[in-house]
């Protein structure tokens, strides 16, 4: 059953984002929400918990830089927002985040006020506010998760209704705790305990509920409920769940929405007939007798997912372009008696609307749309309830909204989104190093950022952009570290910059570029930060431009006194000695150049073969990670005896993908043996740990670390309680004694959703 939620266009019922409260309605209307071959590897140790959540982005973060207490992010993103998960509290006027609402680890389908400023939340989730909660939770007005309310519901909760001391729950579940409850149940709202007298049971999912007095109006995919045949609609007694025999209408299609108002109750869906009478998507019934209301027949040319009312108007959300003889896309306002559409209220959404809520004179709309009346509004919008005029309210959640309600003066949204509200951040952002919350910084570019560096009160960015802060810049720009104001640096780079590093008065650039400024500086260049001009002397000699630099790619740079260590897809050879005794020297992956003129320094010999992707240094040790090998010695291998004689031979022993070297000579630090079983792409050093990320699965002789690990910088031994398990790739790391900042193209760490940027606790120091 749950598979139906994987494609919203096929089964929209999950999104019939139920019930904005019926403000001013004669009957109690519960706010209801939506519908919506190989060896076995050793298991990792438990990951340490994440700290307070840092803000996340809508696309990859490619680079990080730090200046004092601020972390700068650069990448392909254009939006940044808090990691809310499938529930969020918003200011209904401004759309800004109301802090304190707990993170929901999963999807929210249903939300209903608790009458005391909090809400009940139903959906498909595992944790709320870091506490285990299986598909149903109670969030108090303070934002705390109610410790006394923790029922375990074994499948999706799609709809909720709170009435007269009972919380009614509908969905796809079969059990609540140990009790069998087939898709519909009544719970004690204080404890979550099952109310035993109410047990009607349905043979398929319950999509929506509305309560009026002693009756409950139920709709869904069922053909049988409370032991009787009923097709998609039923009326039950709230006391014991017994079926009301007076109502036996049969729609010829799906029913997704139900609403009680005055002497009628309304249903919406995909049907075209009810008990043989033409009713396209909408129908009304007498609330006492269950008789079809013959005067209400507005007709739609599509699907109805949600109904809401302010007591005098009937608002309809769904997927349609015409309703009540009026043209409206996805949302309409009808007269509740005649079904006539308001000619003043005109809305045109580019995609479906799933849920509605009313606050004062505003109608809030949730769904999968991206425009309302041609104005950009992503998934959540507010309009004037009378005219349909679009409100400035624009929280911009990153995915569909399935449920809305109002409680404690806050607009509570539930859905498939993982972040809301989001604000514009054009490829650059600044956040607090401790909390990950954005700080005011006005920098931005019109294209992606690949590298960052910070020094001297400035932040330097390189990438594919053509403008920075609206001013022409050729792929390289400098910004004030405090305000984001553009600096005078104006040097054009033709190609890709993969590394930016500052040292003294210089900014070093490495990558796969051909020119920096007006002259050729293949793959490696330097800029004087006093004059903001290219250092002309720092250029590979003309005879060496084909090797290493003509077709080279520089991925990492470490300045070291009068020498610059350069890692990447680089190689060089030279022949020395007199004729007849010539010898060839070879350098690959990691070379040294002189800082004065970029000439090659052959005194440094790392003896690496392959590509270096990352470099970090501490004292006289340089750590190199990549897709590389470094011979570490030989060992004796015994061979099969031949003619009774013992045999053996020497074979080379290699260190792969991560090595520690003497930073002066390139000699191997033999005690350091981390042994990752795949490419290392990123490195960061703290006072006690070396952090690495890449395409490896194992580190330290078989300990599983799934692409991200911390090791002892002296021995390479993995930290025991550090196994974050990112889903995706890490492009940049920064580390200190307390925390690790990770950026890249990922969606989660372990089971915790985190998109493209996060802050983790530092690994414990080696014992």
């Amino acid at each position: 059953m749950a598979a139906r939620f994987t494609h919203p266009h096929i089964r929209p019922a999950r999104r019939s984002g139920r019930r904005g409260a019926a403000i001013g309605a004669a009957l109690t209307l519960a706010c209801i929400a939506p519908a919506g071959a190989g060896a076995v590897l050793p298991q990792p140790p438990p990951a340490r918990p994440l700290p307070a959540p840092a803000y996340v982005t809508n696309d990859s973060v490619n680079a990080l830089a730090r200046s004092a207490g601020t972390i700068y992010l650069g990448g392909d993103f254009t939006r940044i927002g808090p990691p809310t998960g499938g529930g969020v509290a918003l200011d209904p006027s401004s759309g800004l985040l109301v802090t304190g609402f707990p993170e929901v680890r999963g999807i929210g389908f249903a939300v209903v006020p608790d009458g005391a400023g909090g809400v009940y939340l139903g959906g498909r989730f595992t944790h709320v506010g870091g506490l285990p909660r299986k598909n149903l939770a109670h969030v108090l007005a303070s934002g705390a998760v109610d410790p006394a309310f923790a029922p375990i519901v074994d499948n999706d909760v799609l709809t909720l209704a709170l009435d007269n001391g009972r919380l009614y729950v509908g969905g796809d579940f079969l059990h609540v705790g140990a009790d069998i409850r087939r898709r519909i149940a009544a719970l004690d709202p204080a404890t979550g305990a099952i109310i035993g007298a109410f047990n009607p049971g349905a043979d398929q999912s319950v999509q929506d509920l509305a309560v009026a007095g002693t009756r409950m109006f139920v709709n869904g995919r069922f053909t049988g409920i409370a032991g009787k045949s009923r097709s998609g609609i039923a009326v039950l007694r709230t006391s014991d769940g017994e079926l009301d025999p007076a109502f036996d209408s049969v729609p010829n299609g799906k029913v997704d929405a139900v609403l009680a108002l005055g002497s009628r109750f309304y249903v919406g869906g995909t049907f075209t007939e009810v008990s043989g009478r033409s009713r396209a998507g909408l129908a009304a019934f007498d609330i006492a007798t269950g008789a079809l209301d013959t005067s209400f027949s507005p007709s739609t040319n599509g699907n109805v997912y949600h109904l809401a009312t302010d007591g005098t108007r009937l608002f309809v959300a769904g997927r349609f372009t015409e309703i009540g003889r009026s043209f409206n896309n996805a949302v309409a306002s009808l007269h509740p008696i005649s079904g006539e559409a308001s000619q003043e209220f005109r809305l045109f959404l580019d995609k479906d609307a799933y849920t509605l809520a009313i606050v004062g004179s505003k109608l809030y709309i949730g769904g999968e749309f991206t425009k309302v009346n041609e104005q950009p509004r992503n998934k959540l919008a507010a309009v004037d309830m009378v005219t349909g005029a679009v409100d400035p309210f624009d929280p911009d959640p990153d995915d569909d909204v399935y449920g809305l309600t109002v409680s404690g003066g806050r607009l509570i949204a539930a859905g498939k989104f993982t972040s809301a509200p989001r604000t514009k951040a054009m490829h650059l952002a600044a956040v607090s190093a401790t909390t990950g919350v954005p700080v005011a910084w006005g920098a931005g570019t019109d294209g992606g950022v690949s590298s960052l560096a910070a020094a001297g009160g400035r932040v330097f960015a390189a990438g594919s952009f053509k403008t920075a802060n609206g001013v022409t810049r050729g792929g390289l720009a400098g910004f004030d570290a405090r305000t984001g104001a553009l600096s005078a640096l104006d040097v054009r780079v033709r190609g890709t910059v993969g590394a930016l590093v500052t040292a003294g008065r210089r900014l070093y650039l490495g990558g796969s570029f051909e020119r920096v400024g007006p002259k050729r500086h293949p793959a490696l260049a330097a800029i004087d930060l006093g004059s903001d001009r290219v250092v002309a002397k720092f250029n590979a000699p003309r005879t060496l431009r084909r090797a290493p630099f003509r077709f080279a790619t520089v991925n990492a740079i470490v300045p070291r006194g009068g020498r610059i260590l350069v890692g990447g897809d680089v190689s060089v050879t030279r022949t020395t000695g007199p004729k007849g005794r010539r010898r060839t020297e070879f350098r690959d992956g990691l070379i040294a150049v002189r800082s004065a003129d970029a000439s090659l320094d052959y005194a440094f010999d790392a003896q690496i073969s392959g590509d270096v992707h990352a470099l970090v240094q501490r004292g006289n040790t340089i750590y190199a990670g990549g897709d590389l090998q470094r011979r570490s010695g030989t060992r004796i291998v015994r061979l099969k005896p031949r003619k009774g004689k013992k045999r053996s031979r020497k074979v080379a022993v290699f260190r792969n993908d991560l090595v520690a070297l003497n930073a002066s000579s390139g000699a191997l630090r033999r005690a350091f043996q981390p042994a990752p079983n795949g490419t290392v792409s990123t490195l960061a050093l703290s006072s006690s740990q070396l952090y690495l990320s890449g395409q490896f699965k194992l580190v330290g002789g078989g300990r599983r670390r799934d692409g991200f690990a911390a090791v002892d910088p002296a021995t390479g031994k993995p930290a025991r309680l550090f196994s974050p398990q990112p889903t995706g790739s890490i492009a940049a790391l920064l580390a200190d004694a307390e925390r690790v900042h990770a950026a890249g193209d990922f969606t989660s760490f372990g089971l915790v959703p985190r998109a493209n940027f996060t802050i983790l606790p530092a690994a414990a120091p080696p014992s």
Side-chain angles (χ1 to χ4, degrees), residues 57-63 74-78 427 449 731 743-746 756:
T57 64
N58 67 326
D59 209 335
S60 60
V61 178
N62 305 323
D76 298 319
F77 58 87
T78 58
H427 309 290
V449 171
D745 186 8
F746 48 79
N756 309 313

Side-chain angles (χ1 to χ4, degrees), residues 461-670:
S464 59
F465 53 86
K466 296 181 179 179
T467 66
N469 290 6
V471 179
T472 299
R473 288 292 186 269
L476 180 65
F479 304 90
D480 185 279
R482 185 176 59 85
T483 66
L486 191 66
S487 78
L489 176 65
D490 186 8
V491 175
R492 183 179 179 184
V493 180
R494 296 184 182 180
T496 301
V497 176
L500 280 179
V501 177
T502 60
R505 289 171 51 88
R506 283 189 179 184
L507 173 67
Y508 291 97
L509 292 74
S512 56
F513 47 82
E514 283 291 323
R515 289 178 179 269
V516 177
K519 296 184 179 181
R520 292 182 61 216
H521 283 263
L524 186 64
I527 293 174
D528 183 280
L529 294 180
S531 63
D532 284 344
R533 294 182 179 181
V534 179
V535 180
K537 293 190 301 181
F538 188 80
N539 203 342
R542 184 179 300 275
T543 55
L544 295 178
R545 282 183 180 166
R546 297 185 62 86
F549 297 115
R550 180 62 178 87
F551 298 110
T553 297
V554 172
N555 299 321
I557 300 170
V558 172
R560 181 175 169 78
R563 172 190 284 173
I564 310 295
L565 299 182
V566 178
D569 181 8
V570 294
S571 61
V572 64
T573 59
R574 73 170 180 175
T575 302
T576 60
K579 187 176 181 180
R581 289 186 296 171
R582 290 186 178 273
R583 66 188 184 93
T584 299
E585 292 183 79
F586 179 75
R587 302 288 186 271
D588 185 40
L590 179 57
I591 63 175
V593 301
R594 296 178 180 90
S595 58
D597 58 5
S599 61
L600 292 161
D601 183 351
Y602 280 88
F604 180 85
D605 185 5
Q607 300 181 33
I608 282 174
S609 62
D611 297 344
V612 171
H613 297 159
L615 294 171
V616 292
Q617 73 167 337
R618 171 184 289 165
N620 199 36
T621 298
I622 187 84
Y623 298 90
D627 183 10
L628 58 88
Q629 282 190 329
R630 207 287 189 185
R631 182 168 173 167
S632 62
T634 60
R635 63 188 177 93
I636 303 297
V637 176
R638 297 190 181 279
L639 304 178
K640 185 177 180 180
R642 180 180 292 177
K643 296 181 180 180
K645 293 183 178 181
K646 294 181 179 180
R647 298 190 307 145
S648 63
R649 70 176 181 184
K650 291 183 178 181
V651 296
V653 178
F654 293 93
R655 303 282 174 85
N656 295 323
D657 303 318
L658 179 59
V659 295
L661 308 169
N662 183 296
S664 299
S665 65
L668 184 69
R669 303 289 196 194
R670 296 182 181 277

Side-chain angles (χ1 to χ4, degrees), residues 372-515:
V372 178
N373 288 355
E374 295 303 317
Q375 296 189 42
R377 290 293 186 274
N378 193 57
K379 319 301 183 186
L380 183 54
V383 301
D384 185 275
M385 195 165 56
V386 176
T387 67
V390 181
D391 191 82
F393 176 88
D394 187 16
D396 189 35
D398 65 342
D399 213 328
D400 297 350
V401 174
Y402 299 146
L404 293 171
T405 196
V406 180
S407 185
R410 304 166 300 169
L411 179 71
I412 311 297
K416 191 181 178 183
F417 56 86
T418 60
S419 179
R422 301 184 302 169
T423 56
K424 184 181 291 187
M426 298 303 294
H427 309 290
L428 287 167
V431 302
S432 164
T434 55
T435 66
V437 174
V439 296
W441 194 55
T445 65
D446 67 342
V449 171
S450 58
S451 301
L452 290 174
R458 285 196 286 179
V459 177
F460 303 96
S464 59
F465 53 86
K466 296 181 179 179
T467 66
N469 290 6
V471 179
T472 299
R473 288 292 186 269
L476 180 65
F479 304 90
D480 185 279
R482 185 176 59 85
T483 66
L486 191 66
S487 78
L489 176 65
D490 186 8
V491 175
R492 183 179 179 184
V493 180
R494 296 184 182 180
T496 301
V497 176
L500 280 179
V501 177
T502 60
R505 289 171 51 88
R506 283 189 179 184
L507 173 67
Y508 291 97
L509 292 74
S512 56
F513 47 82
E514 283 291 323
R515 289 178 179 269

Side-chain angles (χ1 to χ4, degrees), residues 9 318-321 328-331 347-353 367-379:
H9 294 290
R319 178 193 297 176
F320 51 79
T321 59
N328 284 272
N329 279 23
V331 178
L347 276 185
F348 298 90
L349 281 65
D350 63 339
K351 290 186 179 180
D352 299 359
E368 67 167 324
F369 53 85
T370 61
K371 290 183 179 180
V372 178
N373 288 355
E374 295 303 317
Q375 296 189 42
R377 290 293 186 274
N378 193 57
K379 319 301 183 186

Side-chain angles (χ1 to χ4, degrees), residues 92-133:
S93 297
S94 65
L96 296 178
L97 180 72
V98 178
T99 58
F101 196 84
E103 182 181 355
V104 179
R105 198 179 300 177
I107 301 172
F109 291 138
V111 59
V112 59
D114 66 358
V119 293
Y120 292 92
L121 179 69
R124 184 193 301 160
F125 48 78
T126 60
H127 292 74
V128 178
L131 298 177
R133 289 296 184 271

